[in-house]
């Protein structure tokens, strides 16, 4: 692989979304195998869907209702300690929420914070709107790159022409590993950078395979 300065890739995620969790695991592989530095950002399914309550299935309403706490804690941690803490915190939260199936409660938030080397007191942010201005701004920056019809994750990076290249997804399960992950990255950039290209899609036939 040529000695190339890494490209900064912005990765917006909501820690309660299992599909974003899988994409985050894929991006760890991409970061290892391609000249990429991932800068994690926070977005929120709760913000995205707060005015769609009556349109949502009951199960999804519960996700939206309980999703405020984790994203508030993430944004509070970022604002106090910098974006670099979001990588370990994303992993610690995702492990508990998606692999261990733990509740989105204070005990889970505290355990994740402690694993990420952050103060347990940051869990207080889950029950206050003190950081909601910053949360909404971060969410808005990501979602406006791709439109309101999609959700998390959102990825953005400089395109070949210098303009920002952004897309939702990819939605993939299980998370590709090794060279399969690198090839998916290369292919995703190829189609996303094609002028006028918008969508490839097929019906999901399986839920997220979490490991």
């Amino acid at each position: 692989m040529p000695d190339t300065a890494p490209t900064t890739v912005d990765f917006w995620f909501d820690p309660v979304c299992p599909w974003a969790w899988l994409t985050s695991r894929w991006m760890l592989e991409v970061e290892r195998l391609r000249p990429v530095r991932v800068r994690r950002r926070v977005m929120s399914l709760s913000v995205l869907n707060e005015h769609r309550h009556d349109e949502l299935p009951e199960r999804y309403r519960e996700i939206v209702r309980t999703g405020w706490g984790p994203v508030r804690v993430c944004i509070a941690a970022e604002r106090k300690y910098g974006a670099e803490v979001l990588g370990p915190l994303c992993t610690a939260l995702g492990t508990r929420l998606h692999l261990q199936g733990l509740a989105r409660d204070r005990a889970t938030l505290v355990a994740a914070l402690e694993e990420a080397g952050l103060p347990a007191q940051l869990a207080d942010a889950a029950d206050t709107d003190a950081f909601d201005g910053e949360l909404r701004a971060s969410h808005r920056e990501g979602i406006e790159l791709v439109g309101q019809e999609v959700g998390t994750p959102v990825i953005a990076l400089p395109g070949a022409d210098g303009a920002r290249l952004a897309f939702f997804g990819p939605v993939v399960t299980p998370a590709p590993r090794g060279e399969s992950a690198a090839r998916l990255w290369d292919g995703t950039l190829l189609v996303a950078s094609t002028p006028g290209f918008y969508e490839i899609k097929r019906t999901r036939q399986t839920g997220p395979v979490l490991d």
Side-chain angles (χ1 to χ4, degrees):
M1 189 167 60
D3 184 14
T4 306
T7 298
T8 297
V9 176
D10 287 313
F11 175 82
W12 276 269
F13 73 100
D14 183 329
V16 307
C17 177
W19 297 104
W21 164 255
L22 288 167
T23 308
S24 75
R25 300 307 90 187
W26 168 65
M27 285 305 302
L28 290 176
E29 292 288 284
V30 172
E31 200 168 22
R32 185 172 66 86
L33 294 167
R34 291 293 185 264
V36 162
R37 181 181 71 87
V38 178
R39 180 168 58 192
R40 288 156 186 86
R41 314 286 295 276
V42 183
M43 65 183 304
S44 171
L45 293 174
S46 298
V47 171
L48 182 66
N49 292 287
E50 63 183 332
H51 301 304
R52 302 175 181 173
H53 182 271
D54 293 341
E55 306 170 21
L56 302 175
E58 184 58 39
R59 178 180 173 276
Y60 203 81
R61 291 180 193 176
E62 181 66 10
I63 293 172
V64 171
R65 185 185 67 80
T66 60
W68 288 99
V71 290
R72 284 169 168 170
V73 168
C74 285
I75 208 76
E78 179 189 13
R79 291 301 178 257
K80 187 156 188 177
Y81 296 102
E84 62 274 9
V85 305
L86 289 177
L89 186 54
C90 172
T91 293
L93 279 170
T95 297
R96 286 163 175 79
L97 297 176
H98 304 302
L99 303 188
Q100 299 174 9
L102 299 180
R104 302 181 194 101
D105 58 15
R106 183 179 177 85
T108 298
L109 295 173
V110 167
L113 286 164
E114 290 177 342
E115 180 183 315
L118 294 165
Q121 291 89 340
L122 284 170
D124 295 344
D127 299 316
T128 175
D129 61 3
F131 292 94
D132 282 10
E134 290 94 330
L135 172 61
R136 291 176 186 279
S138 181
H139 173 87
R140 184 168 57 251
E141 183 181 351
I143 204 69
E144 286 183 351
L145 294 171
V146 293
Q148 299 289 331
E149 296 83 9
V150 297
T152 179
V154 170
I155 291 173
L157 68 157
D161 60 358
R164 205 171 198 187
L165 176 66
F167 50 89
F168 160 70
V171 176
V172 60
T173 190
R177 309 285 183 182
E179 192 56 31
S180 293
R183 287 198 303 270
L184 178 58
W185 175 252
D186 297 340
T188 299
L189 293 190
L190 176 63
V191 297
S193 62
T194 300
F197 178 86
Y198 292 105
E199 188 172 11
I200 288 178
K201 191 169 184 177
R202 55 187 170 191
T203 300
R204 298 179 200 173
Q205 297 181 331
T206 183
V209 178
L210 305 167
D211 55 16

